[in-house]
Amino acid sequence: MKKELKPVYINSIGIHLPNKPISNDEMEDYLGLIAGKSSRTKQRMLQQNGIKTRYYALDKEQQSTDSVAGMAAKAIDACLANGKFAKSEVAFIAAATTQSDLPVPGFASMVHGASKLPVCDITSHQSVCSAGIMALKSAFLHIQAGEHENAISCAADMPSRMFKASRFDKQAQIQEKGLPLDTDFLRWMLSDGAGAIYLSEQPNTHGISFEVEWIELKSYANNFEPCMYAGANKSKDGKIKESWLDYPSFSDADADAAINLKQDIKIVNETVNLGVQHFFQLIEEGKLAVNDIDWLVCHYSSEYFKQPIVDLLAKGGVVIDEKKWFTNLHDKGNTGAASIYIMLEELFNGNKLKEGDHVLCMVPESGRFITSFVKLKVIVSKKPKKTPSISKSDEILAPEVHVANKPIQEKLVRSLTDTWVDFELSLRNTEIIERIYNGTISLEDYRLLLLNLRQQVIDGSQWIARAASNVSMDYFDIRSSFISHSRDEHKDYQILEKNYINCGGKREDLYNGQKNIGSEALSAYMFHKASQPNPFDLLGGMFIIEGLGNRLAGKWGRAIQHQLDLTDDQVSFFTYHETSDSNENHFERFEKALNSELLTEDMANRVAKTAKVVARLYQMQLAELGNY
């Protein structure tokens, strides 16, 4: 039985361009002068390629300010931030480059390490400009086949390191005669940058998405020798006889200029010919209709190649209006494998696209000749974007604690207030809570939150009851407060369970659920403390937990309800605690205990420390959702 292919969408695109834009006049300030002399071909090459500004991950001392993997990681961060996606959601990374920072291990491993994404599936792609399309196609196929629900495709290149003047210091012929044209013209054409694309099987719920209709790539290496290459020299017949690894030493390979990046200018025009030939084949196969192209995002490495592309298309009866061509070569530079990502990011986020637009991406490669095309369709969600009802920038207000004007109580309140501020800040930067504040929480996220909280909520009344049993009769009133509090908490979990089921959760999941590792730590600590004689320092834990109900639960519940269009009986666990944990209810008992004679200076210090520990463990519980 044939497996049904899933639709694939581009939901977000991010880029990273290092440091500041560098003008043509500044280029040699960063790349340096070879043998102390300015390039004789620089002005002619710049006039031909049309690039006005570009970016280098180099400073003026020719020291690297980043790495290829580091730039890719920054592009991934930008991509996830633009789409408000969490790192923990990423299931697959496809990473592409022309040359990684290290020969071994693979580039995707380096990007995975630099990006600090979770354990996931990866694949590396190394070529030249088409490497970025290879990675995109890999991510596309994985989602289409149902292997993963989402993926990150990224590409980064940093050729500036290949062209800095010090790279050629040990190459005597170049020091004497200057760079040969096959390397020199690349020096003025290539620059640094990275891009990342987030793909999934669902379009965005608001704004635009790209539906990926198809991706096609063809290699012609069986018919041609390498054109753009490094790690060898060509003989007079245009063939490569030995690799740089075949030299007696790395120094010998360097001295012979074998490590230099080169382009065989005698055959480079085949790139244009093959790209246009592939374009016409797509028309013949019915994959492409010229009149349907609203945007042509064409990666031509230099303005010099655009007119030959236009002329060849015209010879085949194809004229694409100049207004449909999209490039940012002139101000972003030629960033190799990352170029198509950097162009698509500007188009995607530039308010130029409309529903139903068809975007054709064309990326030819001169490495050993590859042509690649991507067909995208613009999808615009009709659902209006909701403004979150709360914000991470909202004022933080600690729970009010009314105490007598006594130095010990006042000092404790100051300490608890400081702990609360740190606690709430850490919560706002915890992934699940951050999604509540920025309006990106999904129904699946909310169910996971309820499922994880349920296991700890059940323990709540139990540790309070244990604490009450360990309070001596000398503190009868405090003991009675603990018992009353335990009774109130006893049925909280039932409200939570109803919310979970009303949101589509399964009852058996609740009953078979486990504590996540944060809940395990929190419960173990609370039971440990509750088992001590007269465990009054648990008041610090009550301050954090009841304070959360008092100050935050209601806000969170209403924000979730607003974002997901839920009913009252789907968020009542949170909204109920806003009143049940108020100063008129649970907090009144807390204040009564603090104002009693049990609060010595030593006990106040213990209460303050317990509050800090519980705050950290509670935040850990929310940070470890699903980690059992």
Side-chain angles (χ1 to χ4, degrees):
M1 184 176 178
K2 188 176 180 181
K3 188 174 182 179
E4 184 178 351
L5 297 178
K6 294 180 178 293
V8 182
Y9 301 91
I10 290 174
N11 304 104
S12 180
I13 309 176
I15 64 170
H16 176 71
L17 295 166
N19 302 316
K20 69 178 185 66
I22 294 170
S23 69
N24 291 345
D25 293 338
E26 298 176 284
M27 293 178 73
E28 285 183 313
D29 294 340
Y30 290 86
L31 297 178
L33 301 176
I34 296 175
K37 301 174 184 177
S38 185
S39 167
R40 296 189 300 271
T41 63
K42 172 185 172 183
Q43 293 305 324
R44 177 162 61 93
M45 293 299 105
L46 288 170
Q47 186 176 8
Q48 286 182 351
N49 67 41
I51 301 170
K52 304 301 181 185
T53 56
R54 77 282 295 140
Y55 295 78
Y56 291 142
L58 289 179
D59 60 24
K60 290 186 177 182
E61 284 69 49
Q62 297 181 33
Q63 298 298 308
S64 299
T65 60
D66 213 324
S67 64
V68 186
M71 290 195 299
K74 291 180 176 70
I76 290 171
D77 286 344
C79 174
L80 294 174
N82 288 344
K84 296 184 177 178
F85 297 110
K87 284 189 173 185
S88 63
E89 292 182 347
V90 177
F92 178 67
I93 308 168
T97 188
T98 302
Q99 184 169 340
S100 181
D101 303 295
L102 303 177
V104 178
F107 184 54
S109 292
M110 300 301 293
V111 172
H112 187 200
S115 64
K116 304 302 180 186
L117 290 167
V119 173
C120 62
D121 191 357
I122 63 171
T123 183
S124 299
H125 298 270
Q126 185 273 321
S127 193
V128 191
C129 302
S130 288
I133 299 298
M134 294 174 188
L136 183 63
K137 185 170 185 177
S138 181
F140 164 69
L141 292 175
H142 273 77
I143 296 171
Q144 190 181 57
E147 286 287 314
H148 299 293
E149 293 181 357
N150 65 68
I152 285 281
S153 171
C154 64
D157 267 330
M158 188 177 166
S160 61
R161 291 186 297 195
M162 296 289 288
F163 295 117
K164 59 185 183 181
S166 59
R167 181 70 63 211
F168 309 101
D169 284 349
K170 305 299 182 182
Q171 299 175 11
Q173 189 171 2
I174 286 175
Q175 291 297 304
E176 180 184 349
K177 297 182 179 180
L179 278 177
L181 186 59
D182 62 358
T183 294
D184 197 33
F185 94 96
L186 290 176
R187 198 173 192 234
W188 312 118
M189 181 162 47
L190 300 176
S191 55
D192 306 343
I197 293 175
Y198 183 94
L199 304 94
S200 78
E201 57 186 30
Q202 297 290 336
N204 289 324
T205 55
H206 57 264
I208 72 165
S209 309
F210 282 143
E211 181 179 3
V212 184
E213 295 190 343
W214 50 258
I215 301 176
E216 184 164 313
L217 183 145
K218 289 185 178 182
S219 167
Y220 305 87
N222 59 325
N223 296 322
F224 297 94
E225 291 295 319
C227 176
M228 187 173 179
Y229 60 99
N233 287 312
K234 281 189 173 184
S235 58
K236 290 183 179 180
D237 63 0
K239 297 184 182 299
I240 291 174
K241 304 298 185 184
E242 61 179 356
S243 158
W244 67 291
L245 293 171
D246 296 318
Y247 283 77
S249 70
F250 296 151
S251 298
D252 290 338
D254 178 25
D256 196 31
I259 64 172
N260 296 355
L261 186 62
K262 313 171 183 71
Q263 188 157 52
D264 189 337
I265 58 177
K266 296 187 296 294
I267 60 173
V268 67
N269 284 336
E270 292 294 344
T271 310
V272 174
N273 300 334
L274 293 168
V276 174
Q277 177 186 331
H278 193 174
F279 183 96
F280 288 141
Q281 288 172 353
L282 292 170
I283 295 175
E284 291 297 320
E285 293 168 4
K287 287 189 172 182
L288 191 60
V290 176
N291 292 335
D292 287 342
I293 300 174
D294 297 294
W295 296 93
L296 176 60
V297 184
C298 182
H299 169 58
Y300 42 89
S301 58
S302 164
E303 189 69 31
Y304 176 82
F305 293 110
K306 181 181 178 182
Q307 193 57 47
I309 295 172
V310 172
D311 292 343
L312 279 177
L313 288 172
K315 286 182 180 179
V318 173
V319 176
I320 299 175
D321 193 301
E322 178 65 27
K323 293 184 293 186
K324 296 182 178 182
W325 289 70
F326 184 88
T327 185
N328 52 22
L329 171 72
H330 310 96
D331 61 333
K332 301 297 193 301
N334 175 2
T335 51
S339 290
I340 192 66
Y341 291 68
I342 292 169
M343 286 192 284
L344 281 174
E345 186 273 340
E346 185 172 325
L347 183 61
F348 188 84
N349 296 320
N351 297 317
K352 296 181 178 182
L353 301 171
K354 63 182 185 301
E355 172 75 25
D357 276 358
H358 289 272
V359 180
L360 181 68
C361 303
M362 177 179 179
V363 182
E365 175 186 311
S366 62
R368 197 162 179 170
F369 300 112
I370 297 170
T371 59
S372 54
F373 291 84
V374 181
K375 182 75 175 345
L376 306 171
K377 182 179 179 181
V378 177
I379 305 296
V380 180
S381 171
K382 302 299 189 296
K383 187 176 180 180
K385 182 178 181 179
K386 287 189 174 183
T387 301
S389 60
I390 57 177
S391 169
K392 286 178 69 175
S393 62
D394 290 347
E395 183 182 7
I396 293 177
L397 296 173
E400 292 183 31
V401 183
H402 304 116
V403 294
N405 296 324
K406 297 178 182 178
I408 293 176
Q409 278 84 353
E410 290 176 340
K411 180 182 177 182
L412 175 58
V413 169
R414 290 194 296 271
S415 177
L416 292 175
T417 300
D418 288 343
T419 296
W420 180 268
V421 172
D422 291 340
F423 173 55
E424 189 167 343
L425 280 173
S426 71
L427 288 179
R428 291 184 181 189
N429 291 311
T430 301
E431 185 179 310
I432 186 65
I433 306 304
E434 189 172 30
R435 293 190 199 182
I436 298 174
Y437 280 95
N438 65 27
T440 61
I441 190 168
S442 67
L443 186 60
E444 291 77 16
D445 294 332
Y446 179 49
R447 282 199 297 260
L448 183 64
L449 175 61
L450 291 174
L451 182 64
N452 279 248
L453 285 177
R454 188 257 186 190
Q455 315 309 324
Q456 177 260 318
V457 168
I458 288 177
D459 282 353
S461 63
Q462 297 179 34
W463 65 255
I464 298 171
R466 181 175 297 186
S469 69
N470 284 297
V471 174
S472 68
M473 292 303 294
D474 296 334
Y475 300 100
F476 181 81
D477 290 345
I478 305 300
R479 183 180 187 182
S480 297
S481 293
F482 273 159
I483 292 172
S484 297
H485 196 101
S486 175
R487 183 188 62 242
D488 293 346
E489 296 283 340
H490 180 60
K491 293 185 178 181
D492 279 4
Y493 76 92
Q494 294 178 330
I495 303 174
L496 186 154
E497 288 182 354
K498 288 180 181 178
N499 289 174
Y500 180 76
I501 292 167
N502 289 340
C503 287
K506 297 178 181 178
R507 190 180 301 274
E508 55 267 29
D509 291 340
L510 287 169
Y511 298 153
N512 297 326
Q514 305 176 54
K515 297 187 187 77
N516 71 41
I517 62 174
S519 297
E520 288 281 10
L522 177 61
S523 288
Y525 180 76
M526 299 303 275
F527 277 117
H528 165 72
K529 283 293 181 182
S531 300
Q532 308 303 309
N534 291 325
F536 300 130
D537 48 344
L538 274 175
L539 292 169
M542 292 172 63
F543 171 79
I544 294 297
I545 296 173
E546 305 302 329
L548 190 150
N550 176 214
R551 287 299 191 198
L552 299 177
K555 293 179 182 179
W556 292 353
R558 287 189 295 276
I560 293 168
Q561 183 175 21
H562 167 75
Q563 188 63 34
L564 301 179
D565 295 319
L566 301 180
T567 59
D568 290 346
D569 61 359
Q570 291 174 302
V571 296
S572 54
F573 173 77
F574 287 95
T575 54
Y576 156 78
H577 277 83
E578 188 171 40
T579 53
S580 70
D581 294 339
S582 67
N583 285 67
E584 290 75 27
N585 293 294
H586 294 172
F587 239 65
E588 181 181 6
R589 299 169 189 155
F590 170 75
E591 291 170 342
K592 184 177 180 181
L594 290 190
N595 285 299
S596 71
E597 69 277 10
L598 68 85
L599 195 74
T600 63
E601 185 171 358
D602 176 66
M603 179 57 68
N605 291 335
R606 288 165 56 192
V607 169
K609 182 176 181 180
T610 299
K612 288 183 179 180
V613 175
V614 171
R616 181 66 186 90
L617 294 178
Y618 203 102
Q619 185 273 336
M620 181 181 176
Q621 173 182 229
L622 296 176
E624 298 293 343
L625 296 187
N627 186 8
Y628 305 114

